Amino acid sequence: MATYKEVIKTYSRQLKDITHIPQKEVEILLLSIVKQNVIWLHINYNEQCTCEAELNKLVEKRATHYPIEYITSRASFYGEVFNVQDGVLIPRPETEILVEKAEAILKTIDSPKIIEIGTGSGIISVMLALLIDDISIIAVDINDKALELAKSNAIKHGVEDKITFIKSDLYNEISNDEKFDMCVSNPPYIADNFKLERNVMYEPSNALFGGNRGDELLENIITQTANRNIKYLYCEMGYDQKKPLTKFINQFNIKELEFYEDLAKLDRGFTLEFKQ
Ligand code: GLN
């Protein structure tokens, strides 16, 4: 038998072409098996590893580019840990910016009521529910698996009373009588023919692709949000959609439109206030 330290070193080699943090990833996989944290690992580095066979299986799976978050069923977002599951989009760090921007404006509204379109794992709604005391949220998705997962995340974080999950394609199942202060969405916005990186190919296409051009769903969300007289619309978008979306949005009665960039300095989303 080898020590944890030796095993980590050996298996890191198998992931060197898959990730720029092979050792870290092997440690994460190992810890997900022994259900311990990194402090435990440091204390036990020189002990005999008793789970090499299991680790081997997980490393082999990861070596096919299968996302580590699907293997461990967890992902971090906004400093919190969320359940994730195969068949539902993995949270991305850039979406934290959308949460931050939404939080800033929602804090200025009394008992805000919002709708999230395409809630996926529920990260945006759950985070906003954690950040804003008196918020109430309707979170919709077309994917049953996503809705189940999002519910589990709301329960995990103790905010299930603030969020109603509904199976709906955009606003289809939401009555026109429901009034909202904001719509927030990180919808599928990638063009159908875009060549994805290998790890992303394991994620559900209905969470990634937005149509021929990519921004078709965004256009629908903008139109329907305008028709419902919702004041704010905050969305994530593709890096090349600022120009076409500016043109599209300018058909409406706009009070303010701002675009924001992600950490890589790519255009990544917009915040929009309609004239009421
Ligand atoms: N709202 C979820 C997220 O931001 C899901 C988005 C999606 O599936 N397109 O991760």
Side-chain angles (χ1 to χ4, degrees):
M1 249 198 304
T3 64
Y4 285 107
K5 196 171 176 178
E6 288 160 350
V7 165
I8 290 166
K9 199 166 169 209
T10 308
Y11 284 91
S12 296
R13 279 187 224 117
Q14 291 189 36
L15 297 185
K16 71 175 174 14
D17 298 329
I18 304 289
T19 164
H20 58 283
I21 47 167
Q23 173 160 339
K24 183 85 213 148
E25 289 209 7
V26 174
E27 290 181 7
I28 291 169
L29 292 173
L30 178 66
L31 291 173
S32 78
I33 296 168
V34 296
K35 299 198 169 39
Q36 296 285 356
N37 65 23
V38 75
I39 298 167
W40 175 91
L41 182 60
H42 283 279
I43 295 169
N44 288 279
Y45 255 142
N46 295 315
E47 299 297 321
Q48 300 297 306
C49 171
T50 51
C51 59
E52 191 172 339
E54 272 175 276
L55 181 65
N56 183 31
K57 261 197 227 149
L58 300 193
V59 171
E60 270 179 10
K61 193 153 197 195
R62 179 67 184 120
T64 66
H65 291 266
Y66 192 72
I68 192 163
E69 294 89 343
Y70 284 159
I71 301 178
T72 61
S73 305
R74 290 152 72 96
S76 300
F77 181 76
Y78 218 97
E80 302 285 345
V81 176
F82 286 84
N83 301 327
V84 299
Q85 216 186 332
D86 179 14
V88 182
L89 195 81
I90 297 167
R92 301 292 201 275
E94 56 267 27
T95 307
E96 294 178 359
I97 307 170
L98 183 62
V99 170
E100 246 167 49
K101 303 234 172 230
E103 183 204 3
I105 200 82
L106 289 168
K107 280 215 156 132
T108 68
I109 302 172
D110 268 347
S111 307
K113 178 147 192 227
I114 73 164
I115 179 163
E116 185 196 359
I117 292 180
T119 193
S121 58
I123 48 167
I124 297 175
S125 286
V126 170
M127 272 321 305
L128 289 174
L130 282 171
L131 293 165
I132 296 163
D133 275 347
D134 50 358
I135 195 168
S136 70
I137 304 176
I138 289 183
V140 308
D141 206 289
I142 51 168
N143 177 351
D144 287 308
K145 209 171 174 183
L147 289 167
E148 277 310 307
L149 180 67
K151 247 180 244 171
S152 83
N153 277 318
I155 293 167
K156 181 183 172 86
H157 291 283
V159 292
E160 67 274 24
D161 294 346
K162 293 178 168 182
I163 311 174
T164 308
F165 294 98
I166 297 175
K167 185 174 185 177
S168 176
D169 188 358
L170 306 182
Y171 288 96
N172 287 359
E173 306 305 318
I174 308 300
S175 152
N176 266 313
D177 301 333
E178 294 269 11
K179 296 292 167 227
F180 299 102
D181 298 295
M182 171 187 281
C183 169
V184 63
S185 184
N186 173 23
Y189 53 70
I190 299 174
D192 290 347
N193 65 357
F194 188 83
K195 182 102 182 54
L196 296 175
E197 283 176 42
R198 279 189 65 186
N199 60 320
V200 184
M201 290 190 314
Y202 288 103
E203 293 184 77
S205 48
N206 65 358
L208 294 165
F209 297 114
N212 216 350
R213 291 190 318 270
D215 61 1
E216 287 89 337
L217 263 171
L218 275 161
E219 287 191 356
N220 269 334
I221 292 170
I222 294 162
T223 305
Q224 294 188 33
T225 303
N227 290 344
R228 284 183 182 241
N229 294 317
I230 299 171
K231 189 169 180 190
Y232 297 103
L233 173 61
Y234 282 33
C235 289
E236 198 168 303
M237 64 173 201
Y239 67 93
D240 54 356
Q241 293 168 348
K242 182 172 172 177
K243 223 170 149 185
L245 284 175
T246 304
K247 195 165 163 216
F248 186 80
I249 290 168
N250 278 325
Q251 309 167 58
F252 298 91
N253 227 344
I254 299 303
K255 182 159 176 211
E256 211 168 298
L257 170 63
E258 271 179 31
F259 288 87
Y260 65 85
E261 295 175 345
D262 61 20
L263 297 171
K265 296 264 169 246
L266 297 169
D267 290 319
R268 186 53 64 203
F270 63 83
T271 64
L272 167 57
E273 180 179 348
F274 291 98
K275 224 177 251 161
Q276 296 278 289

